[in-house]
Amino acid sequence: MSNFYCIWVRTGLENKFIEKVQSLFDSVPDEQNGKLYCIGKQIRLRNGKEYIDPLIPGYIFWETDNISRIQDIKDEEGFIDFLPNDNGIKPLSARDTELVTSFLKYGSVIPVVNVQFDVNDRIVIVDGLFKGMEGFITDVNRSNKRINFEVTLMDGKRILSLSYQEIQKK
């Protein structure tokens, strides 16, 4: 199993950073330099338009067993640091790796999630990546059809925001 590392880059440069560094990695087919991911989320606006935003802005995940190309990453425009940034590069913990791989099971973009509301306005996600999750939801924005929920990543709490589509109970 490969290790995952977290790279902190300037917000807004995630995809550009991945394109440049991944092309450097892929230019040497003999080396197994790994794969870079920016986990995205599909956002649906009230007018029906959709776009993709980073799930955790500024975070890129590097799946690899070969960290010999660290300098290529550090030299790229937008690079800030490796996280957690305490004494050099180290792989994510088993719990953090499990969270990242669960995101990636559904591809690199998390789609709009289907949810149900009960009479107490408690929200339950009924399919996809967060199926069955209800206890960690911190906010529901009904006008924009977005939910915020809390996850623990690298020993810190992160609030993630996803678009939702409400479905009714039969």
Side-chain angles (χ1 to χ4, degrees):
M1 184 170 124
S2 296
N3 288 314
F4 277 87
Y5 299 87
C6 185
I7 304 166
W8 183 19
V9 299
R10 224 170 63 217
T11 302
L13 293 182
E14 297 93 349
N15 291 326
K16 182 179 174 185
F17 185 93
I18 288 174
E19 284 176 24
K20 286 188 170 183
V21 174
Q22 193 67 59
S23 67
L24 282 172
F25 287 178
D26 295 346
S27 68
V28 186
D30 303 354
E31 292 182 24
Q32 298 298 316
N33 295 309
K35 179 99 173 100
L36 297 167
Y37 302 97
C38 177
I39 302 167
K41 61 182 176 182
Q42 184 178 6
I43 299 291
R44 183 176 295 146
L45 301 175
R46 274 190 260 179
N47 64 10
K49 291 186 180 181
E50 295 183 358
Y51 64 96
I52 296 171
D53 244 1
L55 181 64
I56 309 171
Y59 284 29
I60 293 174
F61 297 97
W62 181 25
E63 180 182 18
T64 189
D65 285 327
N66 176 12
I67 61 171
S68 66
R69 302 291 294 269
I70 289 175
Q71 199 57 48
D72 289 333
I73 291 172
K74 288 181 175 181
D75 290 344
E76 189 53 50
E77 177 186 356
F79 173 81
I80 296 173
D81 208 345
F82 283 95
L83 296 175
N85 54 359
D86 53 351
N87 301 325
I89 181 173
K90 66 180 182 181
L92 295 179
S93 69
R95 189 185 76 214
D96 291 343
T97 297
E98 185 178 322
L99 179 64
V100 170
T101 56
S102 73
F103 289 155
L104 293 173
K105 274 189 225 173
Y106 289 86
S108 59
V109 176
I110 298 170
V112 173
V113 295
N114 291 324
V115 298
Q116 283 180 332
F117 293 99
D118 65 16
V119 293
N120 298 320
D121 289 330
R122 188 172 46 99
I123 191 172
V124 178
I125 298 174
V126 296
D127 69 2
L129 175 63
F130 302 103
K131 182 178 181 175
M133 186 177 282
E134 61 181 84
F136 299 107
I137 294 170
T138 60
D139 187 38
V140 177
N141 182 331
R142 289 177 186 244
S143 63
N144 290 330
K145 292 197 171 188
R146 296 220 177 106
I147 58 171
N148 292 339
F149 62 98
E150 193 173 89
V151 296
T152 302
L153 180 65
M154 291 180 290
D155 297 325
K157 299 209 182 289
R158 307 285 187 263
I159 300 291
L160 306 181
S161 176
L162 294 176
S163 288
Y164 72 83
Q165 177 175 318
E166 186 173 359
I167 60 174
Q168 302 298 319
K169 292 182 181 180
K170 290 185 178 183

